[in-house]
Amino acid sequence: MYHPRPLYFGLVRTRHSKRAGLFQSSVPKLNLTQSRFIWLEFPARVLCFCKPRTMLFNALALCVLCYAGIVQGGGPGGVAGEFHSHDVANENRAQQWLNEYNTRAQVEYYNSVSASWNYNTNLTTENKEKSLAAATVEAAFDNEAAENASTFAWQNFTDQNLLRQFRKVSDIGSAALAKIDPDKYKQLNQILADMEEIYSKGKICKVDGTCLSLEPGITRLLAKSRDYDELLWAWVAWRDATGKKMKAQYAQFAGLANEAARANHYADAGAYWRSWYDTADFRQQLERLYDELKPLYLNLHAYVKRKLKTLYGAEKFPSTGQIPAHLLGNMWAQSWINLNDIMQPFPGKPSVDITPTLKAKNYTVRQLFNISEEFFTSLGLFPMPDLFWEKSMLTKPTDGREVVCHASAWDFYNQKDFRIKMCTDITMEDLVTIHHEMGHIQYYLQYRNLSVLYRGGANPGFHEAVGDVLALSVTTPKHLKEIGLLDKVENDYESDINFLMSQALDKISFLPFGYLMDQWRWGVFDGTTPMNKYNTDWWKLRCKYQGVSPPVKRTEDDFDPGAKYHIPGNTPYIRYFVSQVVQLQFHSSLCKAANHTGPLYKCDIYRSAAAGKLLSDMLKLGSSKPWPYALEKITGSRDMNASAIIEYFLPLIDWLKEQNRGQTITWDDACPDLNVPSSTMNPVSAASRILHSNFCVIVLLILYYIPVQLFTLLKV
C-alpha cells in the first residue's frame, strides 16, 4: 500500500498516504498581500502584474485603457479569444508561482507526513491530536494554494504541462471542506483517526486469556489451522472487535466525505475517486475486464470448493454454492495462497513455498529486504537510500507500542526520506509483500525530482503494480533456485501446473474481491446503499461476485466491511483490481525487453538492464502524463486488457477445465439463508469439544443426583 499526500477523505494509505504538518510552517505564506508580486485578474480578463504599492495606479490605468478602447473587455459573456492569444508572459509568471509553491509544498507535506508517521508507529492520544492538527494545517495550505491559483485564468493556458499542474493544485480533495466548515473538516479527520485506531488496536482473546492481534497472531492462525470451529471463532471475533464498533462512525464519515466532494464540484466521494483515472467510461472498462477474467475465477473456485468439501465435509457448505468465508486461509478470503498445501494438483512434486526454507536457514527480516533490494538494483534501478534503512519500521515493535501494522510505503516529499512500515513475518507471503512495498519506494525514487504535483502514479493502479511485477519474476522456481531458496527446478508439466496453481491462489482468487470493494463504497457514497443496508449489501456483492458466503448469520448489527483495513483506513481499493491487470501487461513487455523466450509464466527479468530501463522510463513520468500515455510507454498499447493474464495462466486454465468437466462451476447470486447465531464463540479443538460435552453431562448428572439423594435422606 502506498502512502501519498493525504486526500483527507481518501487518505490513501495503501502503499502511500499522508497528512499535514503539526505546526505552522516558518516558510512565508503564498498570500497575495505578502508575496513579492500580486496577480490580479480583472473583469477585462487581463492580468495586472504589479507590486502592491503601485496596484491602485495600475488598476486606474487599466480602467482608462478599457474606457479608451485600447484594451478590450471580455468577461464571461464577452470576447474570449484575446487573453490567451498573447499569454506567454502570463504563463511565465504562472511558472514562477508554481516554483514558489513547489518549494513550500515540500516543507508543508514533510511536516504532515511526519506527524502521520509518528501516530501510525505509536498510537497514543497525544500523537493522534498532533496528527489531526497537522491535517488542519495542511488543509489551510492547500486551500490557500488553490485560491492563489484561481487568480490565474489557467483554463486558457496553451502550455499543457502548466495547465495540468494548475488543474491538480486546484483540486484539493476534502481540504475544500475546511474552507466552508472548519468544524466539519476536523470532525471528518477525527472520525478517520478513531476508526483506524479501533482497527489497529483490535484483538481477540481465547478462553485461556491468550489474546491475538491481527499481525502476526490471527494471520498465522488462519493460514495454518484446519479446525473448522477454531477458524470460525477467529473470523467472528475479529469482526466483533473491529467493524462492529465503527458502523455509526462510518456513516458519519460517508456524509462528510460527500460534502467535501461536492465542495470540489463532484457528485459524491465515489465520483471524486473515479476522477483520478480520468476516463469517462472507467466503470464500463472495469466491468469488461471482470467479465473477461470471470471464467478463470469460476474454474478455480469450483476446484477449491471441491477440495475443501473433501476436507471439512459437504454438510459444512451451503446449497447455494458459495464457500464459507472463514475456510480460505485469509481473514477476508481475498487470497487463498495459504491453502496451497491442500490445493497442490500434484503433491509429489517439490513445493514452491519457500517459507520452511527461510525458517530453516534462519533468515532475518533485514535479509528479506536485502533480497528485494538486490532484485531492483540488478535491473539498474535505485538502491534504498540510507535514510530508508535508518528510519523504516520493518518489524513490529517489542517496546509495548501499539502500531498500525498494515504494510505501507511512505514518501516524505523532501526527495530523500522514504520509508516502509511493516510488521514483517518470515514467510514467502511477506517476501512478496516486501517486493510490493519496495516497488512503491522505487516509484517515489524515480519521480522524486518532478513537481510535487506530479509525484504520484500514472493512476493509482500503476503504483500498486510496480513491486508486483517484479514479484512475478521473484516467485519463479528458476529465480528462487538462483538465489539459493530452492534446491532444484523440475521443468515438467506437473511442476508447471503446481506453480501456476500457487500463483492463481494468490492472484486470480483476488480479482472479484478487488472488484467489489469499491462497488460497495460507491453505493454508500451515491446513496444506493443506506446505513440500514450496509452489511446486507456488502454480503450481496460478496456472495454474487466472489462466491463466498458468511459462515454464520449476519445482521445490520454487524459491520463486516469495517473488518478490512482499507475501509476504516479509507483507502480506495479499485486500484488493486487495476493493478492485477496492468502488472501482467507490464510483465509481458518487460519479458520481451529481456529477450525471454518460452512461456510467460517462466519469465524472470532478473539482471536485465533493458527491462530495467523500460520500467524506469515509465516510472519517471510520475503523474505528469495521462495514464494511457504511460501505459503505451511500457507496453505499446493505450488500453487495459486481460490478454496477458490469460496467456500467463493458459496451461492452468486448460487443466482446471478438465478437472471440472461435468461439474457445476457457478453459484447462486443470493447468499444462503443462515440461522446459525453469530455471537463470538470460544476456540476449542475437536478433543476439547468432546471433553466439554462430557463435562456438561457430568455436571447435569451431579445436579440431578445430589437433590435426589437429599430428598431420599430427608424422607428417611
Side-chain angles (χ1 to χ4, degrees), residues 44 95 102 141 156 182 215 344 380 385 402 456 459 480 484 530 650 700 705 713:
Q95 185 59 61
N102 195 67
F141 168 72
N156 296 321
E215 297 181 42
Q344 200 171 37
E402 296 272 12
N459 73 37
L480 294 174
L650 189 57
L700 287 171
Y705 180 77
L713 289 171

Side-chain angles (χ1 to χ4, degrees), residues 347-409:
K349 293 293 180 178
S351 173
V352 293
D353 181 7
I354 58 169
T355 298
T357 303
L358 293 172
K359 292 182 176 179
K361 293 189 174 184
N362 295 316
Y363 266 75
T364 64
V365 168
R366 177 60 186 262
Q367 284 176 302
L368 297 188
F369 277 83
N370 288 343
I371 289 172
S372 179
E373 181 189 39
E374 198 273 331
F375 195 102
F376 283 94
T377 57
S378 83
L379 301 177
L381 302 175
F382 293 120
M384 296 297 101
D386 290 341
L387 276 177
F388 171 86
W389 299 110
E390 180 184 334
K391 296 191 173 185
S392 289
M393 187 195 89
L394 305 182
T395 59
K396 189 171 185 176
T398 57
D399 56 7
R401 276 182 291 157
E402 296 272 12
V403 301
V404 178
C405 266
H406 189 86
S408 54

Side-chain angles (χ1 to χ4, degrees), residues 135-146:
T136 301
V137 173
E138 184 178 351
F141 168 72
D142 286 342
N143 271 299
E144 179 194 345

Side-chain angles (χ1 to χ4, degrees), residues 416-585:
K416 60 184 179 181
D417 194 349
F418 310 95
R419 308 178 197 174
I420 284 175
K421 174 185 61 61
M422 182 173 173
C423 299
T424 314
D425 202 4
I426 307 298
T427 65
M428 183 173 184
E429 186 175 9
D430 272 15
L431 179 61
V432 171
T433 300
I434 289 167
H435 282 80
H436 179 102
E437 299 304 334
M438 205 170 277
H440 289 300
I441 301 293
Q442 188 63 221
Y443 217 153
Y444 300 154
L445 290 167
Q446 293 287 337
Y447 61 52
R448 61 182 160 178
N449 294 321
L450 296 178
S451 161
V452 164
L453 296 164
Y454 286 157
R455 294 183 202 171
N459 73 37
F462 278 50
H463 228 301
E464 301 303 330
V466 176
D468 287 351
V469 169
L470 271 60
L472 287 168
S473 290
V474 171
T475 53
T476 59
K478 171 188 172 186
H479 183 80
L480 294 174
K481 183 177 185 300
E482 186 163 356
I483 62 175
L485 293 176
L486 202 63
D487 291 334
K488 62 178 180 178
V489 176
E490 295 191 12
N491 290 307
D492 57 45
Y493 175 76
E494 293 181 349
S495 297
D496 288 352
I497 295 299
N498 277 357
F499 170 69
L500 287 173
M501 177 61 73
S502 69
Q503 292 291 81
L505 290 171
D506 184 40
K507 295 186 174 298
I508 302 305
S509 66
F510 176 80
L511 291 170
F513 187 78
Y515 179 72
L516 68 85
M517 274 272 288
D518 279 351
Q519 304 291 333
W520 179 81
R521 275 192 288 200
W522 295 342
V524 170
F525 291 139
D526 69 21
T528 56
T529 295
M531 182 181 177
N532 64 359
K533 292 178 62 181
Y534 276 1
N535 222 44
T536 301
D537 285 1
W538 170 255
W539 282 107
K540 279 183 179 178
L541 289 169
R542 296 202 66 189
C543 288
K544 176 182 177 180
Y545 288 106
Q546 206 179 0
V548 166
S549 61
V552 291
K553 187 176 180 62
R554 310 304 285 164
T555 71
E556 287 303 326
D557 290 333
D558 301 303
F559 183 54
D560 294 333
K564 173 65 178 169
Y565 173 80
H566 300 73
I567 299 296
N570 198 37
T571 302
Y573 209 77
I574 200 66
R575 63 187 59 200
Y576 298 108
F577 179 81
V578 171
S579 167
Q580 293 297 316
V581 175
V582 299
Q583 69 184 247
L584 264 298
Q585 290 182 261

Side-chain angles (χ1 to χ4, degrees), residues 300-371:
L300 179 67
H301 181 281
Y303 173 79
V304 168
K305 180 172 64 177
R306 192 162 59 252
K307 287 277 193 177
L308 290 176
K309 279 186 174 182
T310 301
L311 179 64
Y312 293 107
E315 70 279 3
K316 300 288 190 182
F317 290 73
S319 60
T320 47
Q322 292 95 358
I323 300 173
H326 65 306
L327 301 181
L328 290 159
N330 174 271
M331 180 58 79
W332 312 280
Q334 69 180 61
S335 169
W336 307 345
I337 187 61
N338 290 318
L339 301 182
N340 191 48
D341 60 329
I342 55 177
M343 296 298 157
Q344 200 171 37
F346 301 100
K349 293 293 180 178
S351 173
V352 293
D353 181 7
I354 58 169
T355 298
T357 303
L358 293 172
K359 292 182 176 179
K361 293 189 174 184
N362 295 316
Y363 266 75
T364 64
V365 168
R366 177 60 186 262
Q367 284 176 302
L368 297 188
F369 277 83
N370 288 343
I371 289 172

